[in-house]
Amino acid sequence: MSQAPYVPEAPRAPQPADRRHRRTDRPWPVPSNESTLTPKRVLLLSDCYRPTINGVVTSLVDLQRALLDAGHDVRVLTVAHSSPATFDGQVYRLPSVAAGIVYPQARIGRPVDRRLFTELVRWGPQVLHTHTEFVAFWWARRLSDYLGAPHVHTYHTLYEDYTHYFCPHAGIGRAISAGLTRAAMNRLDLVVTPTAKIQALLRGYGVRRPITVVPTGVDLGRFGPSAHDDPATAALRAALGLEPGLPVILSVGRLAVEKNLTETVELLASIRHLPWQFVVVGDGPHAGALRDQVHRLGLAGRVRFVGAVPPERVPAYYRLGDGFVSSSRSETQGLTYLEALASGLPVVCRADPSFDGVVVDGHNGHQYRGAGDFADTLSRLLLDPQLRRRWGRGAAQTASGFGLPVFAESMRRAYDRALAGRAQGQRAAGNPRAARWADPERRSA
């Protein structure tokens, strides 16, 4: 369904103390009589959004929903495949061009749209929260410079693991990634990281702005344990041609080199004598190579490649599983791990500090350290239904602490911290003249 063309809202009459309609070099303070629990106007900005399916989009959509449920006024600025700019009441979409040469399915939005900028100024977001570091990020910088509103950013993507898409030399790619990340993050009022590991990584890059850790949330209303004899689950098993009674190992995520699914397939091949079948949910640039690997190893009869699945159908696939596996080396938030835990699935993953306190050895899964460790853990899990049930209960228990209300409250506290920093004059480096071209008063002068 196509969106309506962008139509600006009628401007609100400026109040005497309303600073949103003129440029100011002073920080925007939080009124002393205003509780930090007061609903806020929050603009979430990202270079990707629905219908794209990835971890950043899922996290952003969940945060948007959680903040709305908590009573905040939330809008999104992202890219569109059409022209001109559109607004559907919640989402502003910028015209964009394909940028697949940089990263598969990437798009670059229009960096300048005076009419849209003016409308955003009229709405007056109190917090600007970016989730990617490209055009959406620089829209937030200009809005922050003009409005005096704090710029908060969640660092979702470990770019040093993605440099093979544009740089053949790993060392040079990592240096470029670190330098660009440092330059961008040091312009912010507050950086949000999903884990302490990423916080430490950014400090190692030389990021000196305030950093807070806010674990990603999971929608516990969508993801939850389910009995295998549920009629819908049984029907899906039959549709995929899965053998009844044989344990199902599940993988959900983008099929890309950095996700290291090649290692998972190799490890499963090493325990081919055990009872398992493997369901792979997702698509990506490495899908063809993975299918070739499965055929080469003689596993075609035991592996099902489902392809990309609409977000509303993903919970049904988790309900198929008896366990969740991942060998990814590039996780900043582990959203699919949380979805698996919430669905009552034991998680077996490559050891990573990102999952400390999330994937807990002997409680809800295991972080493996080498091929032998993986084989031993999967053997016990596949052959012991009682162990699967015990770890499954532990999985759901762990996930209960990561619900969306907790996510929204943690982010609200982060916003309060950024607003308080502005009120105390703790501003990041910026250019308050950067957006003068969009000043409504200058245009009407």
Side-chain angles (χ1 to χ4, degrees), residues 27-38:
W28 190 1
V30 180
S32 59
N33 62 345
E34 182 179 344
S35 167
T36 57
L37 296 178
T38 301

Side-chain angles (χ1 to χ4, degrees), residues 374-394:
F374 177 94
D376 178 66
T377 302
L378 256 293
S379 297
R380 291 190 292 122
L381 200 61
L382 292 168
L383 298 175
D384 189 346
Q386 290 188 357
L387 179 63
R388 292 201 299 271
R389 286 192 290 270
R390 186 166 72 249
W391 283 9
R393 289 192 296 270

